[in-house]
């Protein structure tokens, strides 16, 4: 198929002076880590937020969902603006805004103020994150690009687990009496350092033929994602009022209108926000299909395990966070071996990773069923370690596969599409698996609700294994 073999020469070479060095790669990877850490860092801080701010459950869910929805809705637009205005410029601007909104979150006097600051923080993340992948695509080539993409995938996966661990440690440490506020305030000095590094080490790049902003496409995508994610995240806590059902019913129509608008713009030589022709790239299309169930299962698990350990087992924030430290450690160690395994076995490493992850989730379910109400760090350890290893054999490699044939001129759009689908799926995972778990607790108890949710996640893992068999065997 021509879409697999005819990438433009610019995708394989880097212009003199635009090569991304080691310090620059570290800086953009730090920029990739911060938004993902902040998606998960609040999971173990929610109980203390509720007490301190007298926040209701629907408002607490908005602290999580508001960030995730704003982040998902604006990611592709962030990629397009980076292509137009300069990726380093958007990266630096988004990073600065992320620091300021983190400060606003940490100083929020009321729950409503915190929700507003979290939405703004999600928007800042959406400006910053797409520039990371686009910069890597535009400033590296060959084996350096493969290594950088593997490191990006490893950073993304590790950040999602480390965020929850870090959140537990910071809440319990209660630095200077800050309590839960430390999970946001810690970003401020990190951002200050990252801004200095970015200005010195990250080269400026932009698309040679930047495309204008697709206003109709942007609005329709935003409406479609909000129509899906808002009722799923708020519906259960609000008692499923009429607006949630009307919103869900509107989602298919809005999604269809978005597709038609984008298809027409693509066909007539316009500048669609998400060009349907991009999905003619087989690695991108098949890789994204796998990212959806993977991300739903991952984020749902992280949310549910935090609630089960804190509310069911009565563990403190530190213990609940550190319970997942083995998963983070094994993920990091395994991801280092990923490039060598891929060089020998290709995309079948993703299949093996799914099988290993499935075994880990099954062990966690068995441990929860057999040891409750003494389900703690030791009972969780074997399953969490296996699950972490399996995830490390999937996520970094999937990112490489998805973007392997995206032309450099559309690097921002390609990265934005991938991260939008990943982020929307992460939010969907919290909404669906989290809602399932919390809905089951009153009727069957915490243990059986947890086991049932883990079995549903196991179904998602089985789906990823099946889809992985359709990936291109060779990984570019």
């Amino acid at each position: 198929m021509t879409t697999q073999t005819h990438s433009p020469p610019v995708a394989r070479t880097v212009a003199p002076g635009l090569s991304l060095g080691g310090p620059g790669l570290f800086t953009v990877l730090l920029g990739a880590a911060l938004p993902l850490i902040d998606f998960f860092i609040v999971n173990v801080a929610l109980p203390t937020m509720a007490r301190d701010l007298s926040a209701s459950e629907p408002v607490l869910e908005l602290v999580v969902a508001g960030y995730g929805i704003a982040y998902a809705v604006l990611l592709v637009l962030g990629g397009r603006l980076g292509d137009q205005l300069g990726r380093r410029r958007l990266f630096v601007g988004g990073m600065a805004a992320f620091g300021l909104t983190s400060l606003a979150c940490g100083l929020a006097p009321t729950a409503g103020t915190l929700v507003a600051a979290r939405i703004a923080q999600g928007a800042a993340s959406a400006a910053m994150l797409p520039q990371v992948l686009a910069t890597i695509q535009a400033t590296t080539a060959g084996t350096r690009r493969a290594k950088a993409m593997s490191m990006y995938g490893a950073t993304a996966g590790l950040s999602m687990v480390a965020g929850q661990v870090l959140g537990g440690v910071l809440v319990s440490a209660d630095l200077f009496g800050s309590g839960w506020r430390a999970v946001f305030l810690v970003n401020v000095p990190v951002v200050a350092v990252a801004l200095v590094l970015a200005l010195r080490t990250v080269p400026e790049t932009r698309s040679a033929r930047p495309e204008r902003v697709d206003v109709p496409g942007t609005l329709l995508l935003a409406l479609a994602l909000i129509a899906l994610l808002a009722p799923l995240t708020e519906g259960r806590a609000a008692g499923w009022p009429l607006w949630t059902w009307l919103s869900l019913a509107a989602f298919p129509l809005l999604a269809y209108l978005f597709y038609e608008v984008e298809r027409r713009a693509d066909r007539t030589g316009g500048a669609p926000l998400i060009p349907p022709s991009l999905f003619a790239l087989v690695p991108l299309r098949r890789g994204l299909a796998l990212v959806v169930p993977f991300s739903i299962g991952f984020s749902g698990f992280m949310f549910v395990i935090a609630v089960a350990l804190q509310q069911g087992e009565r563990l403190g924030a530190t213990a609940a966070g550190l319970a997942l430290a083995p998963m983070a450690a094994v993920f990091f160690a395994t991801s280092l071996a990923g490039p060598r395994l891929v060089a020998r076995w290709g995309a079948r490493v993703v299949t093996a990773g799914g099988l290993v992850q499935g075994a880990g989730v099954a062990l966690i379910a068995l441990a929860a069923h057999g040891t409750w109400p003494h389900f703690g760090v030791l009972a969780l350890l074997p399953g969490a370690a296996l699950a972490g290893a399996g995830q490390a054999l999937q996520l970094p490699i999937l990112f490489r596969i998805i973007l392997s044939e995206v032309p450099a001129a559309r690097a921002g759009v390609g990265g934005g599409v991938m991260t939008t689908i990943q982020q929307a799926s992460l939010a969907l995972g919290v909404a669906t698996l989290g809602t399932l778990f919390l809905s089951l607790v009153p009727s069957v108890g915490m243990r059986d609700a947890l086991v049932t949710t883990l079995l549903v996640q196991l179904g998602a893992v089985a789906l990823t294994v099946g889809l992985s068999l359709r990936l291109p065997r060779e990984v570019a």
Side-chain angles (χ1 to χ4, degrees), residues 328-372:
V330 174
F331 186 102
F332 177 73
T334 306
S335 65
L336 295 178
R340 293 193 299 274
L341 294 173
V342 170
R344 182 169 182 181
W345 302 105
R348 291 299 169 260
V349 174
V350 178
T351 306
L355 293 172
V356 173
Q357 183 191 3
V361 173
L363 279 179
I364 294 171
L366 288 172
H369 186 271
T371 64
W372 197 274

Side-chain angles (χ1 to χ4, degrees), residues 84-118:
Q84 277 190 345
L85 304 175
R87 290 153 187 155
R88 186 180 71 172
R89 180 180 297 178
L90 260 290
F91 180 80
V92 169
M95 177 77 77
F98 184 84
L100 291 174
T101 52
S102 295
L103 181 63
C105 288
L107 299 178
T110 65
T113 308
L114 177 59
V115 169
R118 280 285 280 174

